[in-house]
Amino acid sequence: MRTLACVAVLLLVSAALANTQMFAERHRHGEVYRRAVEAENAHHQLLGFTPNTTRNWMTMPIDHQNPSLGTFQDKFYLDTQYWNGTGPCMMYLNGEGPLGSSVGGYMADIAKALGACTLTIEHRWYGESLPAPLTNKALLTSTLTIDQAMQDVMALILHFQTNVINRPPTAWMLVGGSYSGGMTVWLNEKYPGFFKASWAASGVVRATFAYDEYDGHVASRVSGKCRDALVRVMQIAEKKWDKGGADLARIQAMFNVPSYNTKTDFMC
């Protein structure tokens, strides 16, 4: 049931944001994702919008409070096709997934309406923005924090203002969904008055490590037979993982699971 919960959350968030980059990499192989991409592409065609796929990199501290740990390259995308040069800039927080282009969907609509630019950052430890190999779990657990990620956002904004355009835009707007929706609120609390407007789409209200309560909600909304089948599938997956060998290899191949992921990583 935990896997179903994760998928359901992603689908709901993606629908709300109209941004297919919100799908985690492991969820980009099915029919739902393909349909979402088709819908987004059709919307962009009607709008006359083409996402910018030119990658930019910023040298970011691995730990903003401990420079001795060194730096890493943090990826970001800038889109100015609708910017009139004096309008606001929207800072989009991509969240826990890879980033492959500037953000479209409703962000493109807003940018066109306001003559705004959009800036989006790839979250540390996701996609190509890796301070170290993911197998370095000691560094990962100590630097993959909300506070470090928020400081990344502010560092990129300062970099943009001083090195890209040499002046601030008329206003900064902040946008995020799900976990990143929560971060928009936390950034406003940490840096009061800096952002003139914020949109927290489906933002988390109470952060929790396990999603057992959401599993209960999903179970209450599906039929008995469907619920029983989903539970059975999860039980089979857990048994095959524990068995190891060829069974584990098939699961890892089927869902594109990295070899360093634990069973807990996969089941959640």
Side-chain angles (χ1 to χ4, degrees), residues 4-35:
L4 174 65
C6 293
V7 173
V9 168
L10 285 166
L11 295 183
L12 288 172
V13 169
S14 298
L17 295 178
N19 172 24
T20 56
Q21 296 198 66
M22 287 295 294
F23 281 78
E25 182 65 28
R26 64 184 179 277
H27 295 135
R28 298 185 180 188
H29 307 286
E31 182 179 352
V32 171
Y33 175 71
R34 289 194 296 271
R35 288 183 178 180

PDB file of all heavy atoms in Angstrom, residues 4-35:
ATOM      1  N   LEU A   4       1.493   2.445  -3.552  1.00  0.00           N
ATOM      2  CA  LEU A   4       0.296   3.079  -4.099  1.00  0.00           C
ATOM      3  C   LEU A   4       0.161   4.496  -3.580  1.00  0.00           C
ATOM      4  O   LEU A   4      -0.157   5.426  -4.328  1.00  0.00           O
ATOM      5  CB  LEU A   4      -0.956   2.269  -3.714  1.00  0.00           C
ATOM      6  CG  LEU A   4      -2.292   2.920  -4.107  1.00  0.00           C
ATOM      7  CD1 LEU A   4      -2.414   2.999  -5.618  1.00  0.00           C
ATOM      8  CD2 LEU A   4      -3.455   2.165  -3.517  1.00  0.00           C
ATOM      9  N   ALA A   5       0.424   4.679  -2.297  1.00  0.00           N
ATOM     10  CA  ALA A   5       0.313   6.013  -1.716  1.00  0.00           C
ATOM     11  C   ALA A   5       1.275   6.971  -2.385  1.00  0.00           C
ATOM     12  O   ALA A   5       0.916   8.095  -2.718  1.00  0.00           O
ATOM     13  CB  ALA A   5       0.587   5.952  -0.209  1.00  0.00           C
ATOM     14  N   CYS A   6       2.532   6.529  -2.583  1.00  0.00           N
ATOM     15  CA  CYS A   6       3.525   7.396  -3.228  1.00  0.00           C
ATOM     16  C   CYS A   6       3.087   7.775  -4.629  1.00  0.00           C
ATOM     17  O   CYS A   6       3.181   8.929  -5.038  1.00  0.00           O
ATOM     18  CB  CYS A   6       4.878   6.692  -3.289  1.00  0.00           C
ATOM     19  SG  CYS A   6       5.637   6.437  -1.670  1.00  0.00           S
ATOM     20  N   VAL A   7       2.585   6.788  -5.390  1.00  0.00           N
ATOM     21  CA  VAL A   7       2.133   7.055  -6.754  1.00  0.00           C
ATOM     22  C   VAL A   7       0.967   8.019  -6.750  1.00  0.00           C
ATOM     23  O   VAL A   7       0.907   8.971  -7.529  1.00  0.00           O
ATOM     24  CB  VAL A   7       1.746   5.746  -7.462  1.00  0.00           C
ATOM     25  CG1 VAL A   7       1.112   6.050  -8.816  1.00  0.00           C
ATOM     26  CG2 VAL A   7       2.963   4.862  -7.652  1.00  0.00           C
ATOM     27  N   ALA A   8       0.000   7.784  -5.839  1.00  0.00           N
ATOM     28  CA  ALA A   8      -1.182   8.643  -5.792  1.00  0.00           C
ATOM     29  C   ALA A   8      -0.806  10.074  -5.484  1.00  0.00           C
ATOM     30  O   ALA A   8      -1.331  11.020  -6.081  1.00  0.00           O
ATOM     31  CB  ALA A   8      -2.164   8.105  -4.736  1.00  0.00           C
ATOM     32  N   VAL A   9       0.128  10.266  -4.540  1.00  0.00           N
ATOM     33  CA  VAL A   9       0.562  11.624  -4.202  1.00  0.00           C
ATOM     34  C   VAL A   9       1.177  12.297  -5.409  1.00  0.00           C
ATOM     35  O   VAL A   9       0.882  13.443  -5.737  1.00  0.00           O
ATOM     36  CB  VAL A   9       1.572  11.579  -3.030  1.00  0.00           C
ATOM     37  CG1 VAL A   9       2.242  12.936  -2.859  1.00  0.00           C
ATOM     38  CG2 VAL A   9       0.863  11.190  -1.747  1.00  0.00           C
ATOM     39  N   LEU A  10       2.043  11.587  -6.116  1.00  0.00           N
ATOM     40  CA  LEU A  10       2.711  12.169  -7.284  1.00  0.00           C
ATOM     41  C   LEU A  10       1.715  12.532  -8.369  1.00  0.00           C
ATOM     42  O   LEU A  10       1.824  13.574  -9.008  1.00  0.00           O
ATOM     43  CB  LEU A  10       3.754  11.184  -7.826  1.00  0.00           C
ATOM     44  CG  LEU A  10       5.022  11.084  -6.974  1.00  0.00           C
ATOM     45  CD1 LEU A  10       5.832   9.867  -7.388  1.00  0.00           C
ATOM     46  CD2 LEU A  10       5.856  12.331  -7.091  1.00  0.00           C
ATOM     47  N   LEU A  11       0.735  11.678  -8.583  1.00  0.00           N
ATOM     48  CA  LEU A  11      -0.233  11.957  -9.628  1.00  0.00           C
ATOM     49  C   LEU A  11      -1.074  13.170  -9.281  1.00  0.00           C
ATOM     50  O   LEU A  11      -1.345  14.021 -10.130  1.00  0.00           O
ATOM     51  CB  LEU A  11      -1.134  10.739  -9.851  1.00  0.00           C
ATOM     52  CG  LEU A  11      -0.433   9.481 -10.379  1.00  0.00           C
ATOM     53  CD1 LEU A  11      -1.457   8.383 -10.616  1.00  0.00           C
ATOM     54  CD2 LEU A  11       0.326   9.773 -11.651  1.00  0.00           C
ATOM     55  N   LEU A  12      -1.493  13.263  -8.018  1.00  0.00           N
ATOM     56  CA  LEU A  12      -2.295  14.401  -7.609  1.00  0.00           C
ATOM     57  C   LEU A  12      -1.509  15.698  -7.702  1.00  0.00           C
ATOM     58  O   LEU A  12      -2.001  16.715  -8.167  1.00  0.00           O
ATOM     59  CB  LEU A  12      -2.792  14.187  -6.172  1.00  0.00           C
ATOM     60  CG  LEU A  12      -3.873  13.121  -5.997  1.00  0.00           C
ATOM     61  CD1 LEU A  12      -4.119  12.877  -4.513  1.00  0.00           C
ATOM     62  CD2 LEU A  12      -5.159  13.518  -6.692  1.00  0.00           C
ATOM     63  N   VAL A  13      -0.252  15.642  -7.269  1.00  0.00           N
ATOM     64  CA  VAL A  13       0.583  16.843  -7.340  1.00  0.00           C
ATOM     65  C   VAL A  13       0.827  17.237  -8.778  1.00  0.00           C
ATOM     66  O   VAL A  13       0.752  18.403  -9.156  1.00  0.00           O
ATOM     67  CB  VAL A  13       1.915  16.594  -6.609  1.00  0.00           C
ATOM     68  CG1 VAL A  13       2.898  17.717  -6.889  1.00  0.00           C
ATOM     69  CG2 VAL A  13       1.670  16.480  -5.110  1.00  0.00           C
ATOM     70  N   SER A  14       1.109  16.250  -9.639  1.00  0.00           N
ATOM     71  CA  SER A  14       1.385  16.551 -11.044  1.00  0.00           C
ATOM     72  C   SER A  14       0.179  17.178 -11.715  1.00  0.00           C
ATOM     73  O   SER A  14       0.298  18.107 -12.506  1.00  0.00           O
ATOM     74  CB  SER A  14       1.781  15.267 -11.776  1.00  0.00           C
ATOM     75  OG  SER A  14       2.964  14.742 -11.228  1.00  0.00           O
ATOM     76  N   ALA A  15      -1.005  16.662 -11.388  1.00  0.00           N
ATOM     77  CA  ALA A  15      -2.214  17.227 -11.981  1.00  0.00           C
ATOM     78  C   ALA A  15      -2.411  18.661 -11.535  1.00  0.00           C
ATOM     79  O   ALA A  15      -2.795  19.538 -12.307  1.00  0.00           O
ATOM     80  CB  ALA A  15      -3.423  16.376 -11.587  1.00  0.00           C
ATOM     81  N   ALA A  16      -2.113  18.907 -10.245  1.00  0.00           N
ATOM     82  CA  ALA A  16      -2.302  20.252  -9.725  1.00  0.00           C
ATOM     83  C   ALA A  16      -1.310  21.233 -10.330  1.00  0.00           C
ATOM     84  O   ALA A  16      -1.626  22.391 -10.566  1.00  0.00           O
ATOM     85  CB  ALA A  16      -2.154  20.235  -8.203  1.00  0.00           C
ATOM     86  N   LEU A  17      -0.116  20.768 -10.602  1.00  0.00           N
ATOM     87  CA  LEU A  17       0.931  21.662 -11.077  1.00  0.00           C
ATOM     88  C   LEU A  17       1.018  21.735 -12.588  1.00  0.00           C
ATOM     89  O   LEU A  17       1.613  22.649 -13.130  1.00  0.00           O
ATOM     90  CB  LEU A  17       2.291  21.203 -10.537  1.00  0.00           C
ATOM     91  CG  LEU A  17       2.488  21.280  -9.025  1.00  0.00           C
ATOM     92  CD1 LEU A  17       3.854  20.756  -8.652  1.00  0.00           C
ATOM     93  CD2 LEU A  17       2.313  22.693  -8.526  1.00  0.00           C
ATOM     94  N   ALA A  18       0.418  20.762 -13.272  1.00  0.00           N
ATOM     95  CA  ALA A  18       0.546  20.683 -14.734  1.00  0.00           C
ATOM     96  C   ALA A  18       2.014  20.715 -15.135  1.00  0.00           C
ATOM     97  O   ALA A  18       2.403  21.396 -16.073  1.00  0.00           O
ATOM     98  CB  ALA A  18      -0.238  21.816 -15.401  1.00  0.00           C
ATOM     99  N   ASN A  19       2.836  19.987 -14.421  1.00  0.00           N
ATOM    100  CA  ASN A  19       4.276  19.982 -14.651  1.00  0.00           C
ATOM    101  C   ASN A  19       4.766  18.552 -14.526  1.00  0.00           C
ATOM    102  O   ASN A  19       4.879  18.018 -13.420  1.00  0.00           O
ATOM    103  CB  ASN A  19       4.974  20.882 -13.626  1.00  0.00           C
ATOM    104  CG  ASN A  19       6.483  20.764 -13.699  1.00  0.00           C
ATOM    105  OD1 ASN A  19       7.034  20.397 -14.732  1.00  0.00           O
ATOM    106  ND2 ASN A  19       7.142  21.059 -12.599  1.00  0.00           N
ATOM    107  N   THR A  20       5.084  17.922 -15.641  1.00  0.00           N
ATOM    108  CA  THR A  20       5.438  16.504 -15.618  1.00  0.00           C
ATOM    109  C   THR A  20       6.793  16.245 -14.988  1.00  0.00           C
ATOM    110  O   THR A  20       7.129  15.093 -14.700  1.00  0.00           O
ATOM    111  CB  THR A  20       5.427  15.937 -17.049  1.00  0.00           C
ATOM    112  OG1 THR A  20       6.303  16.715 -17.878  1.00  0.00           O
ATOM    113  CG2 THR A  20       4.025  15.977 -17.630  1.00  0.00           C
ATOM    114  N   GLN A  21       7.584  17.278 -14.748  1.00  0.00           N
ATOM    115  CA  GLN A  21       8.861  17.059 -14.071  1.00  0.00           C
ATOM    116  C   GLN A  21       8.661  16.656 -12.617  1.00  0.00           C
ATOM    117  O   GLN A  21       9.598  16.182 -11.967  1.00  0.00           O
ATOM    118  CB  GLN A  21       9.733  18.311 -14.165  1.00  0.00           C
ATOM    119  CG  GLN A  21      10.118  18.655 -15.594  1.00  0.00           C
ATOM    120  CD  GLN A  21      11.298  19.587 -15.669  1.00  0.00           C
ATOM    121  OE1 GLN A  21      12.398  19.239 -15.295  1.00  0.00           O
ATOM    122  NE2 GLN A  21      11.065  20.791 -16.162  1.00  0.00           N
ATOM    123  N   MET A  22       7.442  16.808 -12.104  1.00  0.00           N
ATOM    124  CA  MET A  22       7.181  16.403 -10.736  1.00  0.00           C
ATOM    125  C   MET A  22       7.127  14.885 -10.583  1.00  0.00           C
ATOM    126  O   MET A  22       7.165  14.373  -9.471  1.00  0.00           O
ATOM    127  CB  MET A  22       5.865  17.018 -10.246  1.00  0.00           C
ATOM    128  CG  MET A  22       5.940  18.499  -9.964  1.00  0.00           C
ATOM    129  SD  MET A  22       7.063  18.898  -8.598  1.00  0.00           S
ATOM    130  CE  MET A  22       6.219  18.133  -7.222  1.00  0.00           C
ATOM    131  N   PHE A  23       7.017  14.149 -11.694  1.00  0.00           N
ATOM    132  CA  PHE A  23       7.054  12.692 -11.613  1.00  0.00           C
ATOM    133  C   PHE A  23       8.469  12.248 -11.269  1.00  0.00           C
ATOM    134  O   PHE A  23       9.431  12.663 -11.915  1.00  0.00           O
ATOM    135  CB  PHE A  23       6.667  12.063 -12.956  1.00  0.00           C
ATOM    136  CG  PHE A  23       5.187  12.041 -13.227  1.00  0.00           C
ATOM    137  CD1 PHE A  23       4.520  13.173 -13.651  1.00  0.00           C
ATOM    138  CD2 PHE A  23       4.462  10.875 -13.073  1.00  0.00           C
ATOM    139  CE1 PHE A  23       3.168  13.157 -13.916  1.00  0.00           C
ATOM    140  CE2 PHE A  23       3.113  10.837 -13.333  1.00  0.00           C
ATOM    141  CZ  PHE A  23       2.450  11.984 -13.756  1.00  0.00           C
ATOM    142  N   ALA A  24       8.597  11.397 -10.270  1.00  0.00           N
ATOM    143  CA  ALA A  24       9.909  10.826  -9.976  1.00  0.00           C
ATOM    144  C   ALA A  24      10.362   9.976 -11.157  1.00  0.00           C
ATOM    145  O   ALA A  24       9.547   9.473 -11.928  1.00  0.00           O
ATOM    146  CB  ALA A  24       9.837   9.968  -8.710  1.00  0.00           C
ATOM    147  N   GLU A  25      11.671   9.812 -11.298  1.00  0.00           N
ATOM    148  CA  GLU A  25      12.221   9.077 -12.434  1.00  0.00           C
ATOM    149  C   GLU A  25      11.620   7.682 -12.553  1.00  0.00           C
ATOM    150  O   GLU A  25      11.326   7.211 -13.649  1.00  0.00           O
ATOM    151  CB  GLU A  25      13.745   8.984 -12.279  1.00  0.00           C
ATOM    152  CG  GLU A  25      14.434   8.278 -13.441  1.00  0.00           C
ATOM    153  CD  GLU A  25      14.319   9.028 -14.755  1.00  0.00           C
ATOM    154  OE1 GLU A  25      14.204  10.266 -14.725  1.00  0.00           O
ATOM    155  OE2 GLU A  25      14.340   8.373 -15.810  1.00  0.00           O
ATOM    156  N   ARG A  26      11.426   7.018 -11.423  1.00  0.00           N
ATOM    157  CA  ARG A  26      10.908   5.641 -11.471  1.00  0.00           C
ATOM    158  C   ARG A  26       9.449   5.574 -11.879  1.00  0.00           C
ATOM    159  O   ARG A  26       8.930   4.491 -12.131  1.00  0.00           O
ATOM    160  CB  ARG A  26      11.092   4.975 -10.102  1.00  0.00           C
ATOM    161  CG  ARG A  26      10.313   5.607  -8.966  1.00  0.00           C
ATOM    162  CD  ARG A  26      10.631   4.933  -7.642  1.00  0.00           C
ATOM    163  NE  ARG A  26       9.919   5.511  -6.521  1.00  0.00           N
ATOM    164  CZ  ARG A  26      10.301   6.583  -5.858  1.00  0.00           C
ATOM    165  NH1 ARG A  26      11.408   7.215  -6.221  1.00  0.00           N
ATOM    166  NH2 ARG A  26       9.611   7.036  -4.831  1.00  0.00           N
ATOM    167  N   HIS A  27       8.765   6.717 -11.935  1.00  0.00           N
ATOM    168  CA  HIS A  27       7.361   6.742 -12.331  1.00  0.00           C
ATOM    169  C   HIS A  27       7.169   7.297 -13.746  1.00  0.00           C
ATOM    170  O   HIS A  27       6.065   7.661 -14.129  1.00  0.00           O
ATOM    171  CB  HIS A  27       6.548   7.589 -11.344  1.00  0.00           C
ATOM    172  CG  HIS A  27       6.499   7.017  -9.964  1.00  0.00           C
ATOM    173  ND1 HIS A  27       6.685   7.776  -8.837  1.00  0.00           N
ATOM    174  CD2 HIS A  27       6.314   5.746  -9.540  1.00  0.00           C
ATOM    175  CE1 HIS A  27       6.602   7.006  -7.773  1.00  0.00           C
ATOM    176  NE2 HIS A  27       6.382   5.773  -8.173  1.00  0.00           N
ATOM    177  N   ARG A  28       8.265   7.350 -14.518  1.00  0.00           N
ATOM    178  CA  ARG A  28       8.193   7.933 -15.855  1.00  0.00           C
ATOM    179  C   ARG A  28       8.191   6.875 -16.949  1.00  0.00           C
ATOM    180  O   ARG A  28       8.691   7.093 -18.043  1.00  0.00           O
ATOM    181  CB  ARG A  28       9.369   8.899 -16.068  1.00  0.00           C
ATOM    182  CG  ARG A  28       9.354  10.079 -15.109  1.00  0.00           C
ATOM    183  CD  ARG A  28      10.458  11.076 -15.408  1.00  0.00           C
ATOM    184  NE  ARG A  28      10.426  12.206 -14.484  1.00  0.00           N
ATOM    185  CZ  ARG A  28      11.166  13.300 -14.604  1.00  0.00           C
ATOM    186  NH1 ARG A  28      12.005  13.414 -15.617  1.00  0.00           N
ATOM    187  NH2 ARG A  28      11.081  14.266 -13.723  1.00  0.00           N
ATOM    188  N   HIS A  29       7.622   5.730 -16.674  1.00  0.00           N
ATOM    189  CA  HIS A  29       7.652   4.649 -17.654  1.00  0.00           C
ATOM    190  C   HIS A  29       6.269   4.098 -17.973  1.00  0.00           C
ATOM    191  O   HIS A  29       6.153   3.139 -18.734  1.00  0.00           O
ATOM    192  CB  HIS A  29       8.547   3.513 -17.138  1.00  0.00           C
ATOM    193  CG  HIS A  29       9.919   3.957 -16.746  1.00  0.00           C
ATOM    194  ND1 HIS A  29      10.898   4.298 -17.659  1.00  0.00           N
ATOM    195  CD2 HIS A  29      10.474   4.154 -15.521  1.00  0.00           C
ATOM    196  CE1 HIS A  29      11.988   4.668 -17.021  1.00  0.00           C
ATOM    197  NE2 HIS A  29      11.752   4.592 -15.726  1.00  0.00           N
ATOM    198  N   GLY A  30       5.234   4.705 -17.413  1.00  0.00           N
ATOM    199  CA  GLY A  30       3.896   4.140 -17.587  1.00  0.00           C
ATOM    200  C   GLY A  30       2.964   5.014 -18.405  1.00  0.00           C
ATOM    201  O   GLY A  30       3.312   6.107 -18.859  1.00  0.00           O
ATOM    202  N   GLU A  31       1.750   4.526 -18.571  1.00  0.00           N
ATOM    203  CA  GLU A  31       0.758   5.203 -19.412  1.00  0.00           C
ATOM    204  C   GLU A  31       0.329   6.538 -18.820  1.00  0.00           C
ATOM    205  O   GLU A  31       0.116   7.513 -19.555  1.00  0.00           O
ATOM    206  CB  GLU A  31      -0.464   4.292 -19.580  1.00  0.00           C
ATOM    207  CG  GLU A  31      -1.541   4.887 -20.490  1.00  0.00           C
ATOM    208  CD  GLU A  31      -2.726   3.959 -20.664  1.00  0.00           C
ATOM    209  OE1 GLU A  31      -2.657   2.800 -20.202  1.00  0.00           O
ATOM    210  OE2 GLU A  31      -3.724   4.401 -21.263  1.00  0.00           O
ATOM    211  N   VAL A  32       0.202   6.604 -17.494  1.00  0.00           N
ATOM    212  CA  VAL A  32      -0.223   7.854 -16.865  1.00  0.00           C
ATOM    213  C   VAL A  32       0.775   8.969 -17.166  1.00  0.00           C
ATOM    214  O   VAL A  32       0.398  10.092 -17.518  1.00  0.00           O
ATOM    215  CB  VAL A  32      -0.383   7.668 -15.344  1.00  0.00           C
ATOM    216  CG1 VAL A  32      -0.614   9.013 -14.661  1.00  0.00           C
ATOM    217  CG2 VAL A  32      -1.542   6.722 -15.041  1.00  0.00           C
ATOM    218  N   TYR A  33       2.050   8.640 -17.051  1.00  0.00           N
ATOM    219  CA  TYR A  33       3.077   9.653 -17.333  1.00  0.00           C
ATOM    220  C   TYR A  33       3.051  10.060 -18.800  1.00  0.00           C
ATOM    221  O   TYR A  33       3.136  11.254 -19.126  1.00  0.00           O
ATOM    222  CB  TYR A  33       4.455   9.114 -16.956  1.00  0.00           C
ATOM    223  CG  TYR A  33       5.584  10.063 -17.323  1.00  0.00           C
ATOM    224  CD1 TYR A  33       5.762  11.259 -16.629  1.00  0.00           C
ATOM    225  CD2 TYR A  33       6.450   9.761 -18.374  1.00  0.00           C
ATOM    226  CE1 TYR A  33       6.785  12.136 -16.956  1.00  0.00           C
ATOM    227  CE2 TYR A  33       7.475  10.630 -18.712  1.00  0.00           C
ATOM    228  CZ  TYR A  33       7.639  11.816 -18.003  1.00  0.00           C
ATOM    229  OH  TYR A  33       8.646  12.681 -18.346  1.00  0.00           O
ATOM    230  N   ARG A  34       2.903   9.093 -19.690  1.00  0.00           N
ATOM    231  CA  ARG A  34       2.877   9.419 -21.123  1.00  0.00           C
ATOM    232  C   ARG A  34       1.699  10.332 -21.447  1.00  0.00           C
ATOM    233  O   ARG A  34       1.825  11.281 -22.238  1.00  0.00           O
ATOM    234  CB  ARG A  34       2.800   8.131 -21.948  1.00  0.00           C
ATOM    235  CG  ARG A  34       4.096   7.310 -21.937  1.00  0.00           C
ATOM    236  CD  ARG A  34       4.090   6.263 -23.021  1.00  0.00           C
ATOM    237  NE  ARG A  34       3.048   5.269 -22.810  1.00  0.00           N
ATOM    238  CZ  ARG A  34       3.210   4.156 -22.094  1.00  0.00           C
ATOM    239  NH1 ARG A  34       4.380   3.899 -21.522  1.00  0.00           N
ATOM    240  NH2 ARG A  34       2.231   3.295 -21.950  1.00  0.00           N
ATOM    241  N   ARG A  35       0.554  10.053 -20.861  1.00  0.00           N
ATOM    242  CA  ARG A  35      -0.608  10.909 -21.098  1.00  0.00           C
ATOM    243  C   ARG A  35      -0.385  12.317 -20.553  1.00  0.00           C
ATOM    244  O   ARG A  35      -0.805  13.308 -21.168  1.00  0.00           O
ATOM    245  CB  ARG A  35      -1.847  10.293 -20.455  1.00  0.00           C
ATOM    246  CG  ARG A  35      -2.368   9.053 -21.168  1.00  0.00           C
ATOM    247  CD  ARG A  35      -3.635   8.544 -20.516  1.00  0.00           C
ATOM    248  NE  ARG A  35      -4.184   7.395 -21.203  1.00  0.00           N
ATOM    249  CZ  ARG A  35      -5.291   6.764 -20.824  1.00  0.00           C
ATOM    250  NH1 ARG A  35      -5.953   7.184 -19.763  1.00  0.00           N
ATOM    251  NH2 ARG A  35      -5.736   5.723 -21.503  1.00  0.00           N
TER     252      ARG A  35
END
